[in-house]
Amino acid sequence: MSASSDRKFRPETRLVHAGGLRSQFGETSEALFLTQGFVYDSAESCEARFKGEEPGYLYSRFSNPTVAMFEERMAAFEGAESARATASGMAAVTASVMGQVRAGDHIVAAKALFGSCRYVVEDLMPRFGVACTLVDGKDLDQWRNAVRPNTKTFFLESPTNPTLEVVDVQEVAKIAHAAGATLVVDNVFATPLWQSPLELGADCVVYSATKHIDGQGRCLGGVILASEDFIQKHIHMLLRQTGPAMSPFNAWVLLKGLETLPVRVQRQTDNAAKIADALASHSKIKRLIYPGRADHPQAAIIRKQMRGGSNLIAFEVAGGKAGAFRFLNALKLIRITNNLGDAKSLVTHPATTTHQRLTPEQRAELGINDGLVRLSTGLEHPDDLTEDLMTALAAA
Ligand SMILES: Cc1ncc(COP(=O)(O)O)c(C=O)c1O
């Protein structure tokens, strides 16, 4: 089955079947090809494969059958022509940006980014002569005004980590294209279930597959999705020669994760919606942001570009850092961590973890104050989660 032949099926069906490469043994579940390399029947065949004149695999840093199944299944679901898997989400983000630029170029990125993504555009790229302008992603004029003749790409995430701000992907894509630049969207918080940036005009989508795609806290992974032309021009050689390859074992786990992604993310989102409603009017919560609620500041854009909320909720606990820490420490079922998208509900204090590298002023600008908590809703019964949250708030 190829990704293109699977496109006639609905998304859930593609996530179960697309990209499957069945071996001569006729296995039901996809095979794990845990091999570094491949052998050839003759020196001539080896030469032909290296010249690209004969199809087949060469070396697992370049490609591997299990990794290829994961890539094809992701591409079929996302509606992308092509996909490349990477060892982590950050490898995908770095390659998607770095592959497009040369010294002397310029990037425009939204300020509200996951800490490591912000490091890549703000600190790493300038070390190689690539300038970066950070903008308020919600303000379209700031995107327009940041453009320079040498601007090559725009980078954003929506909803953002951790304050769940939403950027108008369609409008930002138009500004990027008018400037002759591309748009890369980190779609981790939306998940492929609730938002399709390529359909909204983005040129490239990246995921940390570590999050909802695995969804059960087992392994790291990333994926870059775009047109065949974009992948060939910007990504293919960079990944092949620099080596941030996904392990076949991780690809196998993630491939199986894709089969259950819609069921899990739907249930997590339903749980998050119930919890957000239960918490919104609590006297110890000063502010609650959930993309599935009508009171989200960008609710109109959400209706336009997302098919569902998210499993993530951000809220500010009264009493600043001390209040937030009392609340976190009083939780019994929901565990403190910096990860998200898991079957287990997880809670994070962004100011002291994922965004601790930013200055207090930079955090304040993004609305990441000391009372802010990010909840990643899991698959537990929503009443157990709500009871845990209410008990901890009473103790905060
Ligand atoms: C929005 C976003 N992008 C990228 C990443 C990086 O993913 P990974 O940890 O798989 O490298 C994360 C991880 O938390 C994230 O939240």
Side-chain angles (χ1 to χ4, degrees):
M1 266 196 195
S2 74
S4 51
S5 69
D6 285 337
R7 294 232 165 93
K8 65 181 187 295
F9 293 115
R10 290 169 185 80
E12 292 81 355
T13 309
R14 281 184 240 146
L15 279 178
V16 178
H17 292 282
L21 288 171
R22 198 159 271 139
S23 81
Q24 71 271 31
F25 299 114
E27 63 280 355
T28 313
S29 175
E30 292 73 8
L32 168 52
F33 292 95
L34 201 51
T35 179
Q36 297 168 342
F38 304 86
V39 294
Y40 313 93
D41 288 337
S42 66
E44 288 77 12
S45 161
C46 182
E47 181 185 20
R49 242 189 256 181
F50 266 81
K51 281 185 174 161
E53 292 165 355
E54 184 185 294
Y57 294 92
L58 299 166
Y59 187 50
S60 287
R61 167 153 54 80
F62 303 165
S63 192
N64 168 284
T66 311
V67 177
M69 285 192 259
F70 169 70
E71 290 170 339
E72 208 163 308
R73 190 164 290 179
M74 265 313 295
F77 187 54
E78 193 76 37
E81 279 176 16
S82 195
R84 285 294 184 280
T86 53
S88 69
M90 283 320 302
V93 168
T94 307
S96 71
V97 173
M98 193 179 241
Q100 295 188 74
V101 291
R102 309 275 176 280
D105 288 343
H106 174 241
I107 299 168
V108 186
K111 272 181 206 162
L113 293 180
F114 170 56
S116 303
C117 299
R118 192 156 156 170
Y119 167 80
V120 169
V121 293
E122 194 180 21
D123 295 324
L124 184 67
M125 288 300 122
R127 280 170 36 192
F128 299 96
V130 177
C132 173
T133 306
L134 293 177
V135 297
D136 175 349
K138 302 186 298 311
D139 183 344
L140 296 176
D141 282 335
Q142 289 198 23
W143 288 100
R144 275 186 209 103
N145 295 338
V147 167
R148 299 182 192 166
N150 54 345
T151 304
K152 285 291 178 325
T153 190
F154 284 15
F155 183 83
L156 64 87
E157 63 187 42
S158 183
T160 61
N161 181 359
T163 50
L164 307 172
E165 270 179 8
V166 169
V167 180
D168 191 327
V169 177
Q170 230 163 3
E171 291 306 313
V172 175
K174 281 186 204 157
I175 299 168
H177 295 159
T182 61
L183 171 64
V184 179
V185 175
D186 179 338
N187 208 36
V188 165
F189 271 46
T191 81
L193 198 65
W194 299 143
Q195 182 168 270
S196 304
L198 297 177
E199 284 173 13
L200 297 168
D203 301 277
C204 177
V205 185
V206 289
Y207 289 101
S208 163
T210 315
K211 311 295 186 263
H212 309 80
I213 293 175
D214 175 5
Q216 289 164 81
R218 297 163 295 193
C219 61
L220 300 176
V223 60
I224 305 171
L225 299 124
S227 67
E228 188 61 38
D229 183 54
F230 186 101
I231 295 286
Q232 289 304 330
K233 205 159 138 196
H234 304 299
I235 308 297
H236 179 73
M237 282 310 265
L238 179 70
L239 295 183
R240 216 176 138 109
Q241 309 299 6
T242 61
M246 177 180 278
S247 138
F249 180 80
N250 288 6
W252 183 81
V253 172
L254 297 166
L255 192 56
K256 304 311 287 179
L258 285 177
E259 295 182 357
T260 57
L261 180 81
V263 181
R264 287 185 285 105
V265 173
Q266 178 69 64
R267 172 67 188 264
Q268 289 170 322
T269 304
D270 293 346
N271 281 355
K274 285 186 189 140
I275 290 168
D277 288 344
L279 294 186
S281 55
H282 195 286
S283 60
K284 286 196 178 158
I285 293 198
K286 290 171 72 179
R287 169 171 72 115
L288 180 139
I289 315 148
Y290 178 60
R293 275 175 65 88
D295 61 3
H296 188 286
Q298 290 101 35
I301 302 172
I302 292 170
R303 278 196 300 278
K304 189 172 78 155
Q305 71 185 26
M306 292 181 72
R307 295 179 289 272
S310 161
N311 78 312
L312 291 140
I313 308 169
F315 51 89
E316 191 185 329
V317 180
K321 182 177 171 184
F325 273 28
R326 277 195 302 275
F327 164 71
L328 294 173
N329 292 335
L331 289 165
K332 295 275 184 287
L333 175 63
I334 302 171
R335 302 311 305 264
I336 304 168
T337 182
N338 49 300
N339 205 7
L340 61 101
D342 202 287
K344 296 180 173 65
S345 290
L346 304 171
V347 74
T348 304
H349 184 248
T352 53
T353 58
T354 52
H355 292 72
Q356 54 85 22
R357 198 183 62 82
L358 301 184
T359 63
E361 295 71 36
Q362 287 171 327
R363 281 198 294 274
E365 194 185 13
L366 298 175
I368 307 172
N369 56 31
D370 286 350
L372 190 81
V373 165
R374 184 192 78 193
L375 173 67
S376 169
T377 312
L379 295 173
E380 302 93 338
H381 194 289
D383 294 349
D384 286 329
L385 295 172
T386 307
E387 280 164 29
D388 195 36
L389 291 161
M390 292 298 177
T391 310
L393 279 172

